Every structure is written in structure tokens, then in C-alpha cells.
Amino acid sequence: MQTTAEPTSSKATGALQQQVADALRNQTLPISKLLRLMWAIEAEASPVSESLRDQLRARIGAPLAN
């Protein structure tokens, strides 16, 4: 019996995109959560990951909001 699995990489990428978008908006998110998100992006092998990684790196290096 053969089962068909849904492509999880596209779902995972979509979830990562949403998490990165949330992290970019939330200036009070702890660095530990940002780094965990970065590790999740590093584990994902997709063309979208490069853009997400760049956005998150910019957010991690951004000055804190007052």
C-alpha cells in the first residue's frame, strides 16, 4: 500500500516566512528566539531561505527600539 505525503518543505517555508515576518515586527523579541529561528532557516533548504536569512540577520543586527 502506497501513501502520498504532502510536501512539507513548502509548508515549513511558509511557516518560517510567517515567523520571520512576526520577528521583524516585534522589536521586543529576545535574541534567543531570533537565533532559534535562524537555526530553523539554516536547516531549511529552499531558495526562499536565503531571503529570510538576510532579513533575520538585519533584524538581529538592528539597534533596539527605545
Side-chain angles (χ1 to χ4, degrees), residues 21-51:
D22 293 343
L24 295 176
R25 285 191 297 272
N26 185 353
Q27 295 296 314
T28 62
L29 200 64
I31 190 73
S32 60
K33 292 195 185 246
L34 295 172
L35 291 174
R36 278 188 227 130
L37 186 53
M38 180 65 82
W39 292 327
I41 291 170
E42 292 289 335
E44 182 69 30
S46 77
V48 177
S49 296
E50 186 67 33
S51 173

